């Protein structure tokens, strides 16, 4: 399987298979999962990055536990539309995952997802800094996956 355009992703999946959304960072990977109808994204977990093979196995274990058959990875495009080092890193993550498993993967432009989630946590929920640090990665993954699901629904 190759890296697909987001709109081509559903054709590569079984009919009622959830997707996972990833928000890869330097130290963690936020993970979210959709329902089987691919309507709603929910936070799932945070993988603390160690070695790639360990991280990948943790991800695949989470996917298997939820029956997920595809991945949407956030792509932190710069505000001017260019791709920087983080985009390159996330694209490399996708290529490396494909070396281990034949699984459909797509990207979703996630500009400001972490900033948006942090703002919601502060403004609407008055979450303190420590608690934000515990949840922001998986909530950013949820934001990414929900955006991709809405794009698919409106296509």
């Amino acid at each position: 399987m190759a890296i697909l355009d987001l709109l081509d992703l559903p054709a590569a999946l079984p009919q009622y298979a959830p997707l996972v959304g990833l928000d890869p960072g330097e130290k963690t990977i936020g993970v979210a999962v959709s329902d089987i109808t691919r309507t709603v994204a929910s936070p799932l977990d945070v993988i603390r990055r160690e070695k790639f093979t360990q991280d990948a196995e943790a991800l695949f274990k989470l996917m298997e536990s939820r029956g997920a058959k595809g991945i949407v990875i956030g792509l932190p495009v710069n505000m001017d539309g260019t791709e920087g080092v983080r985009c390159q890193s996330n694209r490399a993550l996708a290529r490396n995952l494909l070396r281990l498993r034949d699984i459909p993967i797509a990207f979703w432009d996630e500009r400001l997802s972490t900033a948006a989630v942090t703002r919601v946590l502060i403004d609407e929920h008055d979450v303190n800094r420590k608690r934000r640090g515990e949840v922001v990665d998986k909530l950013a993954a949820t934001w990414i996956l929900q955006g991709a699901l809405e794009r698919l629904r409106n296509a």
Side-chain angles (χ1 to χ4, degrees):
M1 186 83 33
I3 296 172
L4 304 171
D5 181 272
L6 181 68
L7 297 180
D8 296 330
L9 187 60
L13 298 168
Q15 187 172 5
Y16 292 106
L19 291 169
V20 294
L22 303 181
D23 179 34
E26 291 180 23
K27 297 179 182 177
T28 62
I29 301 171
V31 184
V33 65
S34 75
D35 62 322
I36 62 170
T37 63
R38 299 182 207 130
T39 304
V40 177
S42 301
L44 182 57
D45 206 351
V46 174
I47 298 171
R48 306 269 174 231
R49 290 188 109 162
E50 295 180 28
K51 293 183 179 178
F52 171 74
T53 52
Q54 291 174 307
D55 301 344
E57 284 308 312
L59 172 62
F60 294 143
K61 189 174 182 179
L62 285 171
M63 290 179 68
E64 288 164 7
S65 74
R66 297 301 181 111
K69 302 294 184 191
I71 301 173
V72 174
I73 299 176
L75 201 60
V77 178
N78 294 324
M79 293 306 291
D80 65 1
T82 61
E83 293 189 9
V85 175
R86 293 300 315 150
C87 285
Q88 294 170 6
S89 175
N90 290 6
R91 288 188 186 281
L93 172 65
R95 287 190 305 272
N96 291 332
L97 289 171
L98 286 172
R99 288 186 185 123
L100 298 178
R101 294 263 171 104
D102 186 27
I103 188 163
I105 298 175
F107 292 106
W108 178 251
D109 182 346
E110 61 130 325
R111 280 179 249 202
L112 301 177
S113 62
T114 301
V117 167
T118 300
R119 183 72 12 226
V120 168
L121 289 172
I122 293 170
D123 292 349
E124 296 181 23
H125 300 288
D126 196 27
V127 176
N128 66 38
R129 183 179 301 249
K130 181 180 181 209
R131 181 70 180 131
R132 282 195 313 269
E134 296 169 0
V135 300
V136 73
D137 294 320
K138 62 184 169 184
L139 291 177
T142 305
W143 185 282
I144 290 163
L145 183 55
Q146 189 64 50
L149 295 174
E150 290 173 12
R151 175 67 180 109
L152 289 171
R153 191 171 37 257
N154 294 324

